Amino acid sequence: MEKTNELLKKTWQKHAAIDNDVLGATGYVYCENEKQKDILITGINPSLRKDDNSNSYGYKFEDASGIYWNPMKKILKSESNKLDYTHQAAYTDLFYFRRTDQKDLTKRILKHPDGISFLVDQLRITQQTIEEIIKPKVIVIKNKESYAYWGKLAEKGYIWMGYEFEHIKDTPCGEVCRIKGFIKSNERVYPELAKSNLVGTIVLFSKHERALKKDEKIDAAMINQLLGLYK
């Protein structure tokens, strides 16, 4: 696939109106994913803090640190269980626009005439990256607001990336499912993808770290269990 930065640059040029009208020309931010990884952790979009500049840029997951990243990376390693999945993990947000208040997605972006197209073009990049580069065995979805974009709420009419899921079990950490393939729908954002490379991939539908109670938190032992379900 074409380099992520080039694809995003074209997307931002195509949707310059929404970038200027809604986002305030704050640019895009993306995680650089260039290799296959067994574990994928996903968010919904990067935050925009007061001291951030408007330059677009990419970053490497292994170099990321701070209040958002440190708790996330903590789930990948357990010294007591001698487990360390740090180098087997990747990260991506579904979208690349910078917003801290996620309500802006539904209240402002989706209400813009160009909003749906703007989101679809970003999801196409994300889905292609996951399907063709990362090809994970386990996906940990760390944002409840993003479930719909995976196809989890298809019965309510939200197709988006359009994955079909098989329920495996419920855990304190969230619902565990297996990807069966794509939903048969012309409304998928990437209908050119006829067959998914993620068939069999295990998905944990979790929540943002700060929304989790102590017994709901994911750890390396849970990641190990999820990997054991992959076949």
Side-chain angles (χ1 to χ4, degrees):
M1 65 178 286
E2 194 174 349
K3 291 288 186 180
T4 301
N5 186 54
E6 293 303 314
L7 292 169
L8 287 171
K9 188 183 296 184
K10 291 176 182 178
T11 298
W12 253 248
Q13 290 171 347
K14 176 182 176 182
H15 300 285
I18 195 168
D19 184 30
N20 292 319
D21 298 346
V22 178
L23 301 176
T26 50
Y28 54 82
V29 176
Y30 65 98
C31 190
E32 299 171 0
N33 289 298
E34 300 173 345
K35 296 179 181 179
Q36 189 278 328
K37 298 286 184 177
D38 286 349
I39 301 156
L40 172 64
I41 303 172
T42 68
I44 191 163
N45 68 272
S47 297
L48 178 67
R49 298 177 177 84
K50 290 182 179 180
D51 56 348
D52 285 346
N53 58 45
S54 60
N55 294 330
S56 298
Y57 65 90
Y59 63 91
K60 295 184 182 298
F61 180 54
E62 55 264 35
D63 297 334
S65 63
I67 193 170
Y68 177 73
W69 299 105
N70 294 346
M72 184 187 302
K73 291 186 174 184
K74 190 176 180 180
I75 73 173
L76 298 170
K77 190 173 182 178
S78 171
E79 292 183 5
S80 61
N81 293 322
K82 297 182 179 179
L83 297 171
D84 189 352
Y85 296 111
T86 306
H87 300 293
Q88 298 179 44
Y91 178 87
T92 188
D93 282 304
L94 296 189
F95 305 110
Y96 308 93
F97 60 84
R98 303 163 76 180
R99 268 293 180 274
T100 300
D101 188 349
Q102 293 178 357
K103 292 179 181 178
D104 283 349
L105 197 161
T106 53
K107 290 185 176 181
R108 300 189 66 195
I109 294 175
L110 280 174
K111 289 184 178 180
H112 190 280
D114 198 27
I116 292 178
S117 176
F118 181 58
L119 296 184
V120 166
D121 285 348
Q122 290 174 77
L123 279 180
R124 283 175 61 89
I125 296 170
T126 301
Q127 190 163 30
Q128 190 177 14
T129 300
I130 296 171
E131 287 276 347
E132 297 183 8
I133 297 176
I134 305 174
K135 300 177 184 177
K137 295 178 180 178
V138 167
I139 300 174
V140 178
I141 298 175
K142 294 286 289 178
N143 189 295
K144 191 174 182 180
E145 298 300 319
S146 69
Y147 290 7
Y149 299 105
W150 287 90
K152 190 68 171 69
L153 305 181
E155 73 280 359
K156 296 183 178 180
Y158 302 111
I159 305 298
W160 296 96
M161 289 193 290
Y163 287 102
E164 184 178 3
F165 298 97
E166 171 192 359
H167 174 80
I168 297 178
K169 61 180 178 179
D170 292 312
T171 75
C173 301
E175 182 184 3
V176 179
C177 297
R178 180 179 285 111
I179 291 178
K180 296 176 64 177
F182 290 130
I183 296 168
K184 293 180 181 179
S185 173
N186 294 327
E187 295 182 16
R188 288 195 294 114
V189 300
Y190 215 135
E192 301 96 311
L193 290 174
K195 186 177 180 180
S196 175
N197 288 325
L198 305 188
V199 173
T201 291
I202 303 300
V203 182
L204 174 62
F205 288 93
S206 184
K207 295 179 286 187
H208 193 284
E209 193 71 24
R210 283 175 289 183
L212 296 174
K213 299 176 182 177
K214 186 176 180 179
D215 65 331
E216 296 174 331
K217 291 185 180 294
I218 306 162
D219 57 18
M222 181 65 180
I223 298 292
N224 187 55
Q225 291 178 32
L226 295 174
L227 285 167
L229 293 171
Y230 177 80
K231 58 182 179 180

